């Protein structure tokens, strides 16, 4: 058993205290949830009582930090003003609401430039962040590394570095590394993990890295597809993903699974990673 921090993506439909309960059931000490309908719908108000109860459970269970994921249909790097305004509104509302939640990081996809070119895209994303972040904000905001599918921004570490360099309150920003996405983008974390992290360190800085999405990939390195697989059922493989969690530059970070699973499958993967064996999760009886 190691001291690594690991959990999975959870449904927030039943509130915060319920997510702490799901975390307990899956053997997790971190987790991720969508701040609202991932398709970008209207946000419900959060129940303060529920958040207070969650705070007590999280402290008792040693949960945290946790990741709040912005709806993935937002496109902050869009050239369309209404699309960008919508992203600004969602970010501002989400950050305001998340300021009540203890130990939370806010993760988002940098967006797609939709044919306008990388530089226009990174500038668009930076503009949304500059219009959203305030000096008072205490919730760290994470840019997610992306697969580079279509005109997606963030498939190359240098694109994230460029966004960071254009944001005023850049000390509030960090990066979440998604193993499926970087693999699909062409970073071979199976054979060359040290080199990939060295490149990340040179271009972005490892001190920016705040979280890892731990996923296997259905496709080859460099495929730019973004289809997640269960750990050990994809082309990255269980051993390489285990090495990610044990790497000295990464092992202190929260690891969140976004693999195609229900709670029972997640509990199994969490146990396998904690114990370091691909067969450690049979007979869980959830
Ligand atoms: Fe994501
Ligand atoms: Fe992800
Ligand atoms: Zn993905």
């Amino acid at each position: 058993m190691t001291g690594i921090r690991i959990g999975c993506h959870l449904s927030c439909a039943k509130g915060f205290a319920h997510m702490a309960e799901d975390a307990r059931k899956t053997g997790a000490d971190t987790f991720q949830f969508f701040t609202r309908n991932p398709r970008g719908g209207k946000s419900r108000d959060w129940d303060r009582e529920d958040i207070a109860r969650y705070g007590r459970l999280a402290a008792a269970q040693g949960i945290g930090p946790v990741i709040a994921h912005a709806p993935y249909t937002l496109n902050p790097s869009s050239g369309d003003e209404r699309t960008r305004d919508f992203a600004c509104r969602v970010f501002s509302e989400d950050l305001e609401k998340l300021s009540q939640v203890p130990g939370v990081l806010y993760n988002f996809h940098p967006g797609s430039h939709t044919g306008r070119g990388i530089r226009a895209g990174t500038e668009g994303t930076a503009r949304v962040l500059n219009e959203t972040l305030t000096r008072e904000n205490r919730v760290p905001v994470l840019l997610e590394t992306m697969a580079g599918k279509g005109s997606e921004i963030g498939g190359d570490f240098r694109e994230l570095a460029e966004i960071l360099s254009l944001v005023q309150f850049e000390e509030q920003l960090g990066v979440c590394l998604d193993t499926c996405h970087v693999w699909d983008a062409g970073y071979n974390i199976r054979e060359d993990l040290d080199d990939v992290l060295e490149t990340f360190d040179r271009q972005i800085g490892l001190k920016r890295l705040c979280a890892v999405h731990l996923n296997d990939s259905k496709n080859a390195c460099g495929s730019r597809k973004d289809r997640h697989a269960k750990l050990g059922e994809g082309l990255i493989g269980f051993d390489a993903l285990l090495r990610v969690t044990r790497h000295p530059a990464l092992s202190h970070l929260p690891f969140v699974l976004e693999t195609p699973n229900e709670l029972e499958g997640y509990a199994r993967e969490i146990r396998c990673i904690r114990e370091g064996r691909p067969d450690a999760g049979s007979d869980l009886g959830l």
Side-chain angles (χ1 to χ4, degrees):
M1 210 61 143
T2 59
I4 74 158
R5 194 162 285 287
I6 183 165
C8 62
H9 189 91
L10 295 172
S11 164
C12 62
K14 292 182 181 160
F16 281 88
H18 194 269
M19 289 194 284
E21 176 59 19
D22 280 346
R24 194 190 54 73
K25 278 197 217 156
T26 50
D29 41 20
T30 180
F31 60 85
Q32 176 175 268
F33 60 98
F34 283 124
T35 53
R36 58 184 78 203
N37 180 317
R39 298 240 151 250
K42 237 176 103 58
S43 89
R44 297 174 289 116
D45 276 339
W46 290 345
D47 173 357
R48 281 178 180 272
E49 281 290 296
D50 174 46
I51 291 176
R53 209 167 339 122
Y54 166 74
R56 290 189 295 272
L57 290 170
Q61 292 171 221
I63 291 174
V66 298
I67 304 174
H69 197 308
Y72 50 71
T73 44
L74 293 185
N75 187 6
S77 67
S78 168
D80 176 59
E81 197 149 344
R82 275 194 327 223
T83 306
R84 250 196 344 254
D85 282 351
F86 180 64
C88 284
R89 205 173 71 230
V90 170
F91 281 6
S92 297
E93 276 178 25
D94 281 0
L95 286 172
E96 168 68 30
K97 287 165 75 178
L98 288 168
S99 67
Q100 321 162 53
V101 181
V104 72
L105 310 165
Y106 187 50
N107 175 75
F108 76 102
H109 295 179
S112 296
H113 64 70
T114 58
R116 300 183 309 128
I118 302 277
R119 180 70 194 190
T122 54
E123 283 173 357
T125 306
R127 209 167 110 193
V128 166
L129 290 168
N130 280 327
E131 284 174 25
T132 307
L133 297 177
T134 60
R135 197 174 296 283
E136 292 70 40
N137 174 48
R138 293 289 172 268
V139 179
V141 176
L142 311 187
L143 295 149
E144 183 169 348
T145 62
M146 301 307 296
K149 176 176 67 182
S151 67
E152 210 168 58
I153 302 280
D156 187 309
F157 297 155
R158 286 169 296 195
E159 295 163 18
L160 300 183
E162 193 164 282
I163 297 170
L164 293 168
S165 75
L166 296 170
V167 175
Q168 189 195 355
F169 298 119
E170 45 99 30
E171 71 282 359
Q172 300 180 13
L173 297 181
V175 172
C176 173
L177 185 144
D178 185 308
T179 55
C180 169
H181 296 175
V182 294
W183 167 265
D184 282 21
Y187 295 103
N188 194 333
I189 54 171
R190 190 181 64 199
E191 308 302 332
D192 308 317
L193 180 59
D194 282 329
D195 289 349
V196 172
L197 293 176
E198 203 266 318
T199 304
F200 186 100
D201 193 32
R202 194 164 13 92
Q203 296 177 340
I204 298 178
L206 279 170
K207 63 175 193 310
R208 291 271 182 204
L209 194 53
C210 297
V212 174
H213 285 164
L214 195 67
N215 304 308
D216 211 330
S217 171
K218 293 203 160 130
N219 294 288
C221 183
S223 63
R224 298 182 158 248
K225 286 267 177 44
D226 189 4
R227 301 270 316 280
H228 301 191
K230 295 182 187 180
L231 307 190
E233 293 186 12
L235 280 96
I236 305 174
F238 184 86
D239 290 348
L241 290 164
L242 185 64
R243 282 198 297 275
V244 167
T245 68
R246 301 308 198 255
H247 195 284
L250 308 175
S251 59
H252 63 289
L253 298 170
F255 294 92
V256 172
L257 302 160
E258 300 173 312
T259 48
N261 271 307
E262 302 297 327
L263 280 190
E264 190 176 347
Y266 278 133
R268 206 174 296 127
E269 290 189 337
I270 288 166
R271 166 128 39 126
C272 290
I273 288 295
R274 285 198 196 285
E275 298 193 8
R277 301 183 285 127
D279 58 351
S282 34
D283 76 340
L284 271 175
L286 260 188

